[in-house]
Amino acid sequence: MAKKYVYSFEEGSAKMKDLLGGKGANLAEMTGLGIPVPPGFTITTEACIEYLKNNNTFPKGMMEEVEKALAALEKKMGKKLGDKKDPLLVSVRSGAKISMPGMMDTVLNLGLNDEAVQGLAKVSGDERFAYDSYRRFIMMFSDIVKGLDRKKFDEVFDAMKKKRGVKNDTDLTADDLKEVVKQFKELYKKLSGSEFPQDPKEQLIDAIHAVFSSWNNERAINYRNHEGIPHDIGTAVNVQSMVYGNLGENSATGVAFTRNPSTGEKKRFGEYLPQAQGEDVVAGVRTPHPIEQLKEEMPEMYKVFDEICEKLERHYKDVQDIEFTIQQGKFYMLQTRTGKRTGVAAAKIAYDLVQEGLIDKKTAVRRITPRDVENTLFPQIDWHNPKQKTYLDENGKEVKAEEFAKGLPASPGAAAGKVYFTADKAKEEADKGEKVILAAEETTPEDFHGMAAAEGIITERGGMTSHAAVVSRQIGTTCIAGAGDVSGMSIHEGKIHGQNGIKIAEGEWVSLDGFEARAYKGKLPLKKAELSKEMETILKWADEIATKEGKGFHVRTNADKPDQTKQAIAYGAKGVGLTRTEHMFMEKNRLPIVQKMILARNEQEKRRKYVFELLPFQREDFEGIFRAAKGYPVIIRLIDPPLHEFLPDEIELLEKIWKNNLPNDSEEAVLLQSVRATAESNPMLGFRGVRLCLAIPELIEMQARAILEAACNVQKEGQEVYPEIMVPVVGFAKEFELAKEIILKTKEEVEKEKKTKLKKFKVGTMIEVPRAALTAEEIAKAGAEFYSVGSNDMTQMLLGFSRDDAGKFIPLYLKLGILEEDPFVSLEQAGVGKILRIMVEGAHKGNPDIEIGICGEQGGEPKSIDFCYRAGFDYVSCSPLRVPVARLAAAHAVINNGPRK
């Protein structure tokens, strides 16, 4: 059978998203449910994929199917496309499998021409409506299909409003709009070199070309890159008979959510505009009315709307984002899709749906994304006095915040940055490392790159369902919409003109409070929020899934201080996967002792004296961490970096000696000799980790003693402790054996001195040297009780990439498709992953009870966590703030890959 490229809405269903795209599949599903949907048909994503592969040529037979489907639609509607007496008009809209709001193209009112507009005016009895629809069509066709400059058409339209002395589009008369149409056609000819097309079939063919081609426009590509959406799934095209929200006072159009997408509250949320078409609501052309007002103005229509919302939410078992049109008192649904929402809303909605019996706990966990968890921890302004709106500046002085605008709370959170007025400039400055705020009259899909780069967004125009609002909620960016409409803020002459005469130039600091929708001049301090109770509950469900079905697969944290440990445990970490002891050496009161130890490294007695001077400091640090860990395991790594990292910079020392004319026996000159003696050409592969520890064995002894004394002390306090000592940079089993021997001897001495036995204790190693991974069985047999993968160094050594220098070429490799992801962000699975699988297999052969985890940067990254689960790891470890995300990702890994046997 020949491939089928076109399906009527009666032929499809929600299960056909891959083929019909989300919009087409859901229009078909609603049609099947008996919900009023204007009839139409969908051209498949397969047609788009073939079109793009074949140099923007329609696949053979597709247009014949389109003509048949159009003829069937004309028969059903009793109208002909572009008929001069009673024209059928259609919308042509994109619709990918995965929702990409506003990123691809839509054309409304297609089929209008100079004759059809007169027929539409006669049959509708509303000449103004007909010419309003025609001017909209010419503008959209010019912009979207032909790529002409929309701003020039806006200028013509705005000039007409100015000429007539009116503010709103609806105040222009039919004669005014006739003149606008005439000027639009003249402008079209001037910009394109040809007359505006009058053949409706030609219009339709051009529009389908435009929608298919829009899959590869810059904003769509940027969006897919940001959201991790595949580039090869294509978009469907939906051709649907038009209904008109601009046909008189009992007509309207709206966008709504079945629940609040910002907070998750179980309450209808949305906006509508009377006498308007759908683009007006989203584009922010006029500030729309809240959906509650529809209940007062059109109570019967609100009742239908509310009933459909309830029906759809129960059918899809999730919050729906809908578009509707009311045409002369009749309600039509134009779209439904799963609603984009903030992290806070996602958690509340999933939790509530479980309580309502619509979904189970596993579905709730599956629906929460890592970004949802991150966004739940939205920053807030750190007010000193919230009522008075005062904060403490950098000098601790109480300062009253200067509010320059108030708007609509489109996306929660708080943000501070330097303000810029174009998406390009915002992106350019953000790429330089600046924190930026994007301020604009309104945003369009072309602005996505700047929106994604910004800390926050504020717009002059637009409502809660405007483009800026919808996209900001999805990407987790603070947004205040409609600040011009609400409080009179405007952007002109290169400045923001705000309340109370405040003016802000481009590049100045501003701060946004997305919760209250207020904007302030200057850089206000921010603070992190806490997880919502709904998110906490869902993460507990996630832990239950990972523990039960994942056979104990869990999350630990990388923490070097008690406060970090406390924070991570509060966020649900089940222990500490890495404590770096060398960070403790860098503190001001300790560094001089470390430097004396290095200077005395050839004088055994002096060196030992200085090494053990560090013991009380280390012991105190470890006691704090053990207390904060609340009985969970704590892996403490012995000193890892080379000695030169604890010494001053050679150039700085030379300058000091030279400027002060210091003698050769001065402290600085002696230190310089040590700096030169410890310098290495390739420190990462040099005298560090176990190599350094075996050369200075008192380092192992001192650190082991500090760890073990701290553990004994805390255990005596009545608290459970579980110390695990990790030997770094091991490549040979003998290295590990020698280090472990010193550790166990020290343990015996400490327990004897403290007159106590540690109930739990392990010695293991970090797997970061490729040879260690390949000889994992041998090292396990030598007594390793746990392995922790140092994925950063393993990646460097295995790929031959220096992490400090790879940034120069990794972006190029990503662009060329050599790398799929930055290997220092997400585990490189084909190479690094392969050697880690070998390691896991060898480790279990050498010691069936060995525990295996990962503690590099990738330990908190969802794709890497999924790999670790599949590869047989017992846990992942990440920074404290990544713990909630990692807990969710661990559960997702179990759900996606199935239970462990």
Side-chain angles (χ1 to χ4, degrees), residues 760-776:
K760 296 178 182 177
F761 174 70
K762 282 183 181 177
V763 182
T765 185
M766 183 175 270
I767 300 290
E768 53 201 314
V769 177
R771 189 183 188 280
L774 294 172
T775 60

Side-chain angles (χ1 to χ4, degrees), residues 222-285:
N222 286 338
Y223 185 87
R224 291 198 297 273
N225 286 337
H226 188 273
E227 296 296 305
I229 297 170
H231 292 287
D232 59 358
I233 58 175
T235 181
V237 176
N238 299 287
V239 179
Q240 188 175 24
S241 53
M242 283 291 300
V243 286
Y244 308 99
N246 57 334
L247 187 50
E249 290 183 4
N250 60 344
S251 300
T253 190
V255 177
F257 292 79
T258 54
R259 302 190 190 206
N260 189 309
S262 286
T263 66
E265 182 185 3
K266 190 178 180 182
K267 183 181 177 185
R268 308 296 180 226
F269 176 96
E271 296 166 322
Y272 76 100
L273 276 171
Q275 296 191 61
Q277 289 195 340
E279 59 167 337
D280 297 343
V281 181
V282 176
V285 172

Side-chain angles (χ1 to χ4, degrees), residues 369-387:
T369 68
R371 184 185 290 164
D372 289 334
V373 181
E374 290 170 352
N375 291 353
T376 304
L377 295 167
F378 277 128
Q380 301 173 345
I381 292 178
D382 190 4
W383 295 114
H384 179 66
N385 186 325
K387 285 187 178 179

Side-chain angles (χ1 to χ4, degrees), residues 231-457:
H231 292 287
D232 59 358
I233 58 175
T235 181
V237 176
N238 299 287
V239 179
Q240 188 175 24
S241 53
M242 283 291 300
V243 286
Y244 308 99
N246 57 334
L247 187 50
E249 290 183 4
N250 60 344
S251 300
T253 190
V255 177
F257 292 79
T258 54
R259 302 190 190 206
N260 189 309
S262 286
T263 66
E265 182 185 3
K266 190 178 180 182
K267 183 181 177 185
R268 308 296 180 226
F269 176 96
E271 296 166 322
Y272 76 100
L273 276 171
Q275 296 191 61
Q277 289 195 340
E279 59 167 337
D280 297 343
V281 181
V282 176
V285 172
R286 284 188 274 151
T287 298
H289 308 317
I291 200 71
E292 292 83 5
Q293 205 168 315
L294 186 66
K295 193 186 290 187
E296 299 167 16
E297 294 189 1
M298 301 183 189
E300 285 301 312
M301 291 298 94
Y302 185 86
K303 185 182 176 188
V304 175
F305 158 77
D306 191 52
E307 287 170 354
I308 289 174
C309 283
E310 190 66 23
K311 186 172 186 177
L312 287 172
E313 191 170 276
R314 293 204 159 268
H315 179 74
Y316 286 100
K317 301 184 191 305
D318 202 355
V319 171
Q320 296 299 292
D321 168 4
I322 67 172
E323 291 180 24
F324 65 87
T325 286
I326 300 166
Q327 178 180 304
Q328 293 183 321
K330 188 168 181 184
F331 194 95
Y332 294 94
M333 285 290 295
L334 304 183
Q335 174 172 287
T336 189
R337 60 188 174 193
T338 301
K340 304 291 184 188
R341 62 204 79 174
T342 65
V344 171
K348 178 161 177 53
I349 289 163
Y351 175 85
D352 286 349
L353 290 175
V354 171
Q355 307 310 309
E356 292 164 29
L358 287 177
I359 61 174
D360 60 19
K361 291 177 181 179
K362 189 176 281 189
T363 302
V365 170
R366 189 187 286 118
R367 282 191 183 169
I368 303 298
T369 68
R371 184 185 290 164
D372 289 334
V373 181
E374 290 170 352
N375 291 353
T376 304
L377 295 167
F378 277 128
Q380 301 173 345
I381 292 178
D382 190 4
W383 295 114
H384 179 66
N385 186 325
K387 285 187 178 179
Q388 298 298 322
K389 295 293 184 249
T390 63
Y391 64 95
L392 299 180
D393 68 11
E394 293 172 352
N395 300 313
K397 183 182 175 185
E398 187 175 1
V399 180
K400 173 86 172 168
E402 293 182 80
E403 182 183 311
F404 69 84
K406 188 176 188 326
L408 301 171
S411 185
K418 293 181 178 179
V419 69
Y420 294 98
F421 303 143
T422 67
D424 288 342
K425 186 66 175 173
K427 177 74 164 66
E428 179 188 326
E429 294 301 317
D431 286 346
K432 294 175 185 174
E434 293 283 2
K435 289 190 180 297
V436 304
I437 300 292
L438 175 62
E441 185 178 352
E442 59 191 321
T443 65
T444 69
E446 281 77 13
D447 296 325
F448 180 76
H449 59 298
M451 298 172 75
E455 302 292 314
I457 298 160

Side-chain angles (χ1 to χ4, degrees), residues 557-615:
T557 189
N558 302 337
D560 302 335
K561 294 180 179 179
D563 62 331
Q564 294 172 345
T565 308
K566 185 179 179 181
Q567 176 72 79
I569 299 297
Y571 277 158
K574 298 291 190 289
V576 177
L578 173 64
T579 292
R580 307 168 185 87
T581 55
E582 60 273 3
H583 288 184
M584 303 166 179
F585 289 166
M586 292 294 189
E587 294 187 18
K588 283 184 180 179
N589 59 340
R590 306 177 191 189
L591 192 56
I593 303 171
V594 178
Q595 290 174 349
K596 285 175 184 176
M597 179 264 294
I598 295 168
L599 290 170
R601 71 185 192 283
N602 293 320
E603 302 173 46
Q604 187 71 25
E605 243 177 77
K606 275 190 181 178
R607 185 175 67 190
R608 185 174 180 83
K609 172 181 176 290
Y610 292 128
V611 167
F612 275 83
E613 275 187 33
L614 294 166
L615 190 146

